[in-house]
Structure formats: C-alpha cells, structure tokens
Amino acid sequence: MTKEKSDLVYGTLDMLILKALQLEPRHGLGIADRIHQMSDDILRVEQGSLYPALYRLEAQGLIKAEEGISERNRKARFYRLTAAGRRQLEAETGHWTRMTTAINRVLAKA
Amino acid sequence: MVSWRKLRTLFSRPRLEREMTAEMQAHLDGLAERHRMAGMTPEEARNAALRDFGGVEQIKERVRDERGIRWLEDLWRDLRFSCRSLRRSPVFTAAVVVTLAICLGANSAVFTVLYGMVLKRLPFHDPGQIVEVYNSRPISGQMKQRVSVAQYLDYRAQADLFEHFALWDGWMFNVGEDSTAERLIGMKVTPDYFEVLGAPPLLGRYFTDEECAPGRDAVVVLTQDYWEAHFQADPTVLNRVVRLSRRAFTIIGVAPRSLQQVTAAPVLFKPFEWTAEATTPPWRLAAMGTMYARIKNGVALGRAQAQLQTLEERFRDGVADPAARESLYQGGLRLRLGQVRAEQTQPIRIGLLLLQAGAFLVLLLGCVNVASLMLARANARQVELAVRQALGASRGALARQLLVEAGLLALAGGAAGMALAGASL
C-alpha cells in the first residue's frame, strides 16, 4: 500500500482505517485484522505502514488514542473514531463510490 | 498551518518516542504470538513478525515525519551541531567574531554620533521652518555676524512671511555668594523664543514683553534638567526667589527638555533686556544677539530672505543723513537665512561624514576578511561534508546547517559589536 503524502487526495488507507474503527475502538493489530477480515482476506496491509497513517489521522483529529487492555491482557493503545472522523468517513465513502462508478462506466464502454 | 497538536509534540518528544516504541513492540509481540501458536519456534516467530511488520526504523522515521514540525526540529539540531563545530575551532571563531565586532561596533558608534549631532531633526513642530537670521558682509570678508535689537524689532513688526522672531544671547551668572560660588551659563531670550520653537512651558509661564526692560527683568525660567537636579522636580518652585549674580530673581516657570537640544546646555533663561537707546539708528549695526525665526508654512527660504533684505533696504533709504546711510551698507550688507540645525552643525558635519565613510570602508574590509576566513574553513571541511552526503544528507540539509553556522557567527559578532559601541559611547 503506498503512502499518500498530500491530504488533498483521499488516501485509501486512511479511509480503510476509519471504516475499521466504525463499530468499536481497536488497537493497531486489531485494525489490521479488521481490514483483512472485512475484505474477505483479499487486502493484506503491511502492518507497520498503518502507523504513519494512524498518527496522521490522530494529528488531524479524526481519531483519538486512549490506553486500554488488549484481549491478551496486555496494555495497548486503542484508537477511537471521533465525530469529525465519522463525518470524514462518510464524505470519503461517498467520494470513492462516485469515483469508482464513473470509472466503471468508462471501462464498460467498448 | 501549524496546528496546536504539532507544536505540543515538540516539547514531549522523549515521551512520544517511548510510547511509539512501546506500541510497535506490543504489535510485534502480538504478531509473534500468533506465529508461535501456529507452530513456529520463538526465534522464527519473531522473524516472521518482523517481516509482517516491515522495517521498524523506516516506519518510525515516517511517523516522525507525520508528527511534529520537521523544519523546527531540524533547525534546533543544526544549532546544536553548529555550536559544537564552532567550539572545536576556537581560533577561527574568535577571529571572525572579533573582526565583526570591531567593524560593527565602530560603525554603530560613529553613526550614533552622526545621527545625534547632525542628522536628527529638532524635536519641534516643522523644524525645517526654523531658521537663523544673520548679517553678512561679504565684501569686507565677514560672512556671518549677529544682528541688532533694532533689526529684531523692525522685522518682527513688518515681515509678514514669518510667524515669529526671537533674539537671544548667552548669559553667564554666579550662583552662591561665598567661596562655593559657581559660574553657570544661561540664556537671555526674548519671549517669542519659545514661540519660534513651539514648546509650551512644563510649569508656570514664560516672559512677557514688559519684562524685557532693564529693572523689570528679574525673572527666570528653569530648564527641566536643572529643575530636576537642583530643585528635585519640586512643583512648588514657582514664585521662589533665588539670588544670581547678587540680584534677586523670581522663578516663574520651567521649560521642557526639548529646548535643551537647540543650544548647548543653558541652565536657565532670563528675559533679553534692552534700553530705549538700543533701538536708535546708530545701534543698527551693533551685533547684540542671535536671531531665530519661524517662517510661515509653505514659504520658501529664498522668498523669506528676500523680504528681510527689502525691509533692511527700505530702512536704509529712509535714513536722512547720507553718511549714515553709507555706513549702514558698509561691506555690502546682505541678510541671510539658514536652517538652524544646518547652521549649528556646519563645523562638524564634514568631519563626521568623512569619519562615517571611513568606518564604512573598515566594515567592507572586515567583510572581505571574514569571507576569506570562511572560504578557508570550507576548504578544510570538504571531507566532513562528503561523508555527511554519503550518509544521506541532502544538499539542502547541508546548506541549511552551514547557513545556521554563519548566522551564529554573525549574531555573536553583532552582539559583541553592540557591547563595544555601548562601552565607547
């Protein structure tokens, strides 16, 4: 997965992370698992590359970090979607859907 | 735009680094555990986890890029490196700083004097309109002579291109009558002296025309500095009587400090007194005082000067006795005006300007010296720069650090120069 530097282009990794956090807060490993699971095993994220994206989203105020206990009874850093994050997720989902529909239409024509 | 969050990360960097390391370690542990449960040995599990994760150091660098303000952190690092680097070559640093200090200090000192004594305008309203009026007899070689009371009264009454005229002279007097007596310098002024300059009294009032007669002139106006030094800025000083040169004078007012910038340090002012005889024609030629005047706004110096010349000629033509008329014009009398500031600084202006030019040349020389010193140093550092470039530093990063180093030297030189100038002034 390539890293998107500019925040004018919707980085798809950012969008996937926001989606993975939609239902409940998760830690880094949990987010990677969730993306893997939601994509029916197709998308395998290079685990480390999550972190620059996570910290970027945190700096933008779309997710919030908090301390918690993982399922293995260890201390871990959990990320939770903020209200701004939810709004951003909706916006990005809508944008993505519109883009892919248009591209599909172009590709479908002979 | 720099957000608050990013600013705060600058201050808690160690803690954030620790947290990030801990978080990534926890992630790796989780991955390793899964591999172990799938049957790998702990060693293999750890390696597999690292492969899944990706390069840890690279990831950390990317995270550091996302956080914090990169250029600020880089600047701070450059500052510390430059300090260390300069400390390791003390002779070079000392040479550059001393050269800059001398050049900058000399220029600052000379310019301060030049500005204070020559370039600075008088602290009054429209100082360009304040002029000194004087007699000039070019044919007999006397270029500048003072004027008479008769001329002062004449122009004051008739020269309508002027707002005010004033006459003044120095006045030496004694304070104290025993062995501790001091001889001080004051000024005799006509009441409109204060109006020519345009400075209302700090306390009390100025003189009136009636007080300019002998016997009625026993009043003084103190300067602010003298009032603060000898009367402790006491507001009840008005109407107190002091004995000066064996006469009793009443203090009627205090003049603001701005008046002390016009002429060299008078201590107080007293009325310029004249007798009725001084206004008679034979006394027209006497040099009794210096005349200052304020020209009306919008009137050019040349036009004002011509008006005074006309008035003087009109007076001459009105004198009955031809011999007297002749003597009035001896030496080709001309009335001249000059802006007060320019007239006062005439003697020292050329000297100070030359000095400033000299100091500037010294600055240029010093810059050339410093430049060659820095070139020599750059040559010696080629190996260091090559190594840093090989380690991955970009040309921009190298240039930035060199710039910071030069900036530090300039700052140090400038500070030392200011100290030098301050000490020498």
Side-chain angles (χ1 to χ4, degrees), chain A residues 44-64:
Chain A
R44 266 190 174 282
V45 181
E46 191 184 49
Q47 309 261 328
S49 64
L50 275 179
Y51 284 95
L54 279 172
Y55 286 129
R56 181 171 59 243
L57 290 170
E58 192 189 351
Q60 290 170 346
L62 300 173
I63 59 179
K64 196 166 151 56

Side-chain angles (χ1 to χ4, degrees), chain A residues 3 28-29 32-33 45-52 54-56 58-61 72 74-75 77 79, chain B residues 3 5-6 19-20 23-24 26-27 29-31 33-34 51-55 59 62-63 65-67:
Chain A
K3 175 165 115 95
L29 189 48
D33 288 342
V45 181
E46 191 184 49
Q47 309 261 328
S49 64
L50 275 179
Y51 284 95
L54 279 172
Y55 286 129
R56 181 171 59 243
E58 192 189 351
Q60 290 170 346
R72 292 179 304 122
R74 303 275 179 81
K75 274 213 316 194
R77 208 154 178 253
Y79 295 92
Chain B
S3 69
R5 253 174 282 253
K6 285 205 165 184
E19 282 178 5
M20 177 171 69
E23 186 178 4
M24 291 191 183
H27 193 128
D29 288 343
L31 285 172
E33 193 168 313
R34 286 187 194 169
R51 272 199 303 274
D52 288 337
F53 193 81
I59 303 282
R62 281 164 60 189
V63 170
D65 278 343
E66 293 294 335
R67 273 186 172 156

Side-chain angles (χ1 to χ4, degrees), chain B residues 69-79 400 404:
Chain B
I69 310 171
R70 202 64 217 216
W71 63 265
L72 210 55
E73 294 172 4
D74 287 343
L75 192 64
W76 180 242
R77 216 180 39 230
D78 283 341
L79 270 170
R400 191 183 56 227
V404 167

Side-chain angles (χ1 to χ4, degrees), chain B residues 49 267 332 404 411:
Chain B
V267 153
V404 167
L411 230 66

